Amino acid sequence: MQNETAWRPSKFVRHGDSWRGSRDPAALSRASRVTADLQAAAYADALATHASGHLLDLGCGTVPAYGMFRDRVDRITCVDWADSPHPGVHVDHVADLREPLPLPDEQYDTVLLTDVLEHMPYPDALFAELRRVLRPRGRLVVGVPFLYGLHEEPHDHHRYTEHRLRLFCEDHDLEVLELYPYGGHVAVALDLASKMLGAFPPTRLVAGVPALFASPALGRRRTPLPLGYVLVARRPSADVSEVSSDR
């Protein structure tokens, strides 16, 4: 990770013993706090359990989750687009994520892909690359929005259900370890309200719309109206073809 000592919190910040969205409007708009609070809690939980070894952060941007995983990994490699809308001072490799990654096979113990997959027009190609660069038994941590507005247009292509995320893993020989939503009916309503109000000049009401009723404790309940999902998958210890040839 380039300029590691220069890293500063951006989208996510520590709040006591947990994580939440930044309250600095220069880092995160007030209208995005509901979603960011829930993302922060969900991503921190997944990384606390699954991050290890050499971590690859794809579509890294400002590396907002760095504080969540830095004490759990030995090495960090950051990759981002050449035309990323986020500052790239920590980027090790500039790459087009729609193309084969300029990275060696079976190099990484953890691959992090948060709020990136929806921007991929042909996601199966990226999933094939994710599996290729993961070491056997390496972990993939993916975060995607579901009930969320268009963003970073025109590069916003998909919203995924839990069923499609499972199918990605099935198609690319990855074992699903965890798959759960963040946010539900109340969080979706709060997020929509904060974004609608945010279209007007700032008011105390807009400034005070954190995820008050969107507790992360409610986040893992299955819901037909999630704000988004977190997927954790694992590459098998050996390819099926390798196992068959050994018999």
Side-chain angles (χ1 to χ4, degrees):
M1 175 175 167
Q2 297 295 309
N3 304 302
E4 191 166 356
T5 59
W7 180 86
R8 297 293 181 272
S10 53
K11 180 179 179 179
F12 304 131
V13 297
R14 182 174 285 281
H15 181 62
D17 294 330
S18 61
W19 290 84
R20 71 179 187 182
S22 175
R23 272 26 183 188
D24 178 359
L28 180 72
S29 71
R30 293 181 177 91
S32 296
R33 286 180 185 174
V34 172
T35 298
D37 279 358
L38 288 160
Q39 287 176 329
Y43 296 168
D45 186 45
L47 289 165
T49 304
H50 299 286
S52 67
H54 189 174
L55 182 142
L56 172 65
D57 191 343
L58 282 176
C60 63
T62 58
V63 200
Y66 173 75
M68 302 174 186
F69 60 68
R70 63 181 168 187
D71 295 331
R72 303 179 184 280
V73 301
D74 304 323
R75 183 180 172 190
I76 303 159
T77 297
C78 294
V79 176
D80 209 354
W81 308 82
D83 58 351
S84 171
H86 310 288
V89 298
H90 303 299
V91 174
D92 297 295
H93 302 286
V94 174
D96 185 339
L97 303 188
R98 296 167 297 185
E99 302 293 336
L101 298 174
L103 303 169
D105 294 354
E106 300 184 3
Q107 182 73 20
Y108 303 98
D109 303 285
T110 311
V111 174
L112 180 62
L113 189 79
T114 52
D115 306 298
V116 173
L117 192 61
E118 69 271 21
H119 301 295
M120 302 299 300
Y122 309 108
D124 276 291
L126 179 59
F127 256 87
E129 285 295 280
L130 298 176
R131 189 190 186 284
R132 179 183 67 79
V133 302
L134 273 170
R135 288 177 175 154
R137 301 192 68 78
R139 307 294 176 93
L140 169 65
V141 179
V142 177
V144 293
F146 184 66
L147 288 175
Y148 193 78
L150 291 171
H151 56 289
E152 296 186 20
E153 295 181 77
H155 307 294
D156 189 3
H157 301 289
H158 303 283
R159 295 294 181 269
Y160 297 107
T161 67
E162 62 181 287
H163 310 293
R164 188 64 183 95
L165 293 171
R166 288 188 186 277
L167 189 57
F168 278 132
C169 293
E170 180 181 331
D171 289 344
H172 296 280
D173 191 26
L174 294 166
E175 176 191 0
V176 176
L177 300 180
E178 296 190 73
L179 177 53
Y180 52 87
Y182 59 82
H185 295 70
V186 174
V188 169
L190 281 172
D191 180 67
L192 288 173
S194 64
K195 286 179 168 58
M196 291 171 64
L197 291 169
F200 298 93
T203 66
R204 288 194 177 191
L205 180 60
V206 175
V209 179
L212 290 174
F213 303 102
S215 168
L218 304 176
R220 289 200 179 207
R221 295 180 184 177
R222 193 172 187 278
T223 171
L225 290 174
L227 270 174
Y229 290 99
V230 174
L231 164 71
V232 181
R234 176 171 60 193
R235 177 174 170 167
S237 57
D239 291 335
V240 174
S241 59
E242 293 173 353
V243 173
S244 300
S245 65
D246 289 340
R247 291 179 179 174

